[in-house]
């Protein structure tokens, strides 16, 4: 096995682990929503777990490249020029899914759980539109809802100055339902953000190593003799 094939195989196993993590992490708030509420639209952690960033973005869209990368250990599957080039093309889909997962997670972290913005605490108030993702601006990203004493205050988060945020800085604990929702929301979407970043890096590395495999021949002499 050449170094290109070895790295491709390593990428495959790494992506497989990230796919499982993304799906499991995304399913946790969905499961809690169904268990705690009378219906799927009651008591969600936020609107954005229903965008399925871990199931679709970090999960389904990464499966083709993962399958192709794992096939690098199989004879004449990925250990040739065509296979390495195809694995690079499929990695583009992985990158698209990873970016989707990251954008949804960043939006969720920026806005906080529904308990901070919707008294009804229901997905009825959610706007499921891609415009939400395209309107994201890095300079407006804020975790005020997490580091303040309470995310539901009479003055509202947007009216708080930076000095007030620093003076009232605190980490929520599990003493109240609001704090539990805040901690859980932060943990879930921060984890999905990290999964998306790692998948993006593995996807980019596979594109690079795939093209190197094409240039270098892609298949080892030992394997070419066997085939």
């Amino acid at each position: 096995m050449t170094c290109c094939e070895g790295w491709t195989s390593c990428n495959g196993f790494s992506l497989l682990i990230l796919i499982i993590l993304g799906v499991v992490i995304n399913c946790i708030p969905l499961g809690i929503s169904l268990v705690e509420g009378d219906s799927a639209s009651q008591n969600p952690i936020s609107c954005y777990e229903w965008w399925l960033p871990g199931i679709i973005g970090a999960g389904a869209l990464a499966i083709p490249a993962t399958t192709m990368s794992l096939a690098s250990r199989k004879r004449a599957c990925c250990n040739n020029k065509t296979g390495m080039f195809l694995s690079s093309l499929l990695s583009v889909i992985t990158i698209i899914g990873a970016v989707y997962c990251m954008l949804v997670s960043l939006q969720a972290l920026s806005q906080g759980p529904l308990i901070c913005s919707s008294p009804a605490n229901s997905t009825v108030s959610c706007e499921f539109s891609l415009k939400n993702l395209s309107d994201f601006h890095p300079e407006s990203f804020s975790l005020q809802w997490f580091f303040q004493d309470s995310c539901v205050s009479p003055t509202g988060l947007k009216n708080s100055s930076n000095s007030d945020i620093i003076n009232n800085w605190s980490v929520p604990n599990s003493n109240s339902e609001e704090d539990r929702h805040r901690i859980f929301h932060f943990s879930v979407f921060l984890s999905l953000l990290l999964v998306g970043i790692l998948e993006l890096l593995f996807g980019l590395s596979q594109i690079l190593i795939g093209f190197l495999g094409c240039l270098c021949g892609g298949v080892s002499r030992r394997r070419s003799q066997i085939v």
Side-chain angles (χ1 to χ4, degrees):
M1 179 180 290
T2 64
C3 59
C4 291
E5 297 164 14
W7 181 250
T8 298
S9 178
C10 178
N11 266 356
F13 284 112
S14 301
L15 285 174
L16 180 61
I17 294 173
L18 291 173
I19 287 174
I20 296 173
L21 284 175
V23 171
V24 170
I25 293 171
N26 199 161
C27 285
I28 292 175
L30 294 178
I32 290 181
S33 300
L34 296 174
V35 169
E36 291 187 352
D38 297 330
S39 67
S41 65
Q42 297 298 319
N43 297 321
I45 301 301
S46 79
C47 301
Y48 289 100
E49 74 262 23
W50 296 101
W51 284 68
L52 307 180
I55 297 175
I56 295 178
L61 293 180
I63 290 177
T66 303
T67 304
M68 195 66 191
S69 296
L70 291 175
S72 66
R73 301 185 68 88
K74 301 294 182 181
R75 187 182 306 170
C77 288
C78 187
N79 52 329
N80 52 61
K81 288 185 178 181
T82 304
M84 296 298 286
F85 180 72
L86 184 57
S87 70
S88 297
L89 290 182
L90 293 177
S91 294
V92 175
I93 303 177
T94 300
I95 291 174
I96 293 173
V99 170
Y100 172 77
C101 180
M102 291 166 58
L103 287 176
V104 174
S105 300
L106 286 172
Q107 278 284 20
L109 288 172
S110 178
Q111 294 189 13
L114 276 178
I115 196 171
C116 296
S117 56
S118 172
N121 196 26
S122 169
T123 51
V124 175
S125 61
C126 294
E127 181 185 351
F128 296 95
S129 170
L130 290 178
K131 186 175 182 296
N132 290 1
L133 298 183
S134 61
D135 286 345
F136 178 76
H137 301 290
E139 63 275 5
S140 64
F141 182 81
S142 174
L143 291 175
Q144 297 180 23
W145 59 269
F146 184 74
F147 290 110
Q148 285 193 331
D149 290 333
S150 173
C151 65
V152 237
S153 61
T155 56
L157 291 177
K158 294 183 179 179
N159 296 329
S160 301
S161 64
N162 292 331
S163 59
D164 291 337
I165 296 170
I166 295 174
N167 293 333
N168 298 326
W169 184 90
S170 64
V171 177
N173 49 50
S174 56
N175 293 336
S176 66
E177 181 182 5
E178 177 197 323
D179 286 347
R180 287 194 295 271
H181 276 80
R182 288 198 288 165
I183 293 172
F184 193 74
H185 178 90
F186 182 81
S187 302
V188 165
F189 287 102
L190 180 61
S191 301
L192 287 175
L193 177 62
L194 294 176
V195 168
I197 292 174
L198 290 175
E199 284 195 356
L200 176 65
L201 294 177
F202 280 117
L204 291 173
S205 69
Q206 183 54 38
I207 290 177
L208 176 61
I209 207 68
F211 281 113
L212 288 177
C214 292
L215 295 175
C216 298
V219 61
S220 58
R221 291 181 179 179
R222 184 173 57 185
R223 287 202 169 197
S224 62
Q225 291 174 358
I226 294 176
V227 175

